[in-house]
């Protein structure tokens, strides 16, 4: 699953890791995924993985839209 999205998430990473709280949240989310894998719970790991990706995408989109809005006010 990770290999299938890894190349596509580079852009999201750039916009998602702009604050310490997101870095900390991401570490916590990754640890949760690892705990599920270690507990032999692939369904739980996948659920956590997908939730993590959705949250990162949501934040990256929000930040990109704010940046576009700021650019529009420069005219």
């Amino acid at each position: 699953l990770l290999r299938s999205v890894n190349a596509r998430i580079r852009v999201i990473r750039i916009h998602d890791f702009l604050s310490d709280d997101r870095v900390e949240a991401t570490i916590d989310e990754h640890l949760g995924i690892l705990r599920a894998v270690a507990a032999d719970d692939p369904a739980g790991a996948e659920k956590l993985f997908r939730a993590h990706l959705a949250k990162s995408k949501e934040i990256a989109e929000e930040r990109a839209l704010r940046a576009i809005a700021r650019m529009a006010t420069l005219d």
Side-chain angles (χ1 to χ4, degrees), residues 62-73:
E62 177 185 314
R63 289 179 176 163
L65 288 172
R66 278 191 273 154
I68 291 168
R70 282 193 303 269
M71 288 173 36
T73 62

Side-chain angles (χ1 to χ4, degrees), residues 25-73:
T26 296
I27 291 168
D28 289 342
E29 292 164 6
H30 285 187
L31 290 173
I33 295 164
L34 289 172
R35 281 191 289 276
V37 170
D40 197 26
D41 180 9
E46 182 177 350
K47 181 179 177 181
L48 291 169
F49 181 74
R50 291 184 185 279
H52 167 65
L53 288 178
K55 184 64 176 177
S56 292
K57 180 182 176 199
E58 174 188 322
I59 289 169
E61 287 175 347
E62 177 185 314
R63 289 179 176 163
L65 288 172
R66 278 191 273 154
I68 291 168
R70 282 193 303 269
M71 288 173 36
T73 62

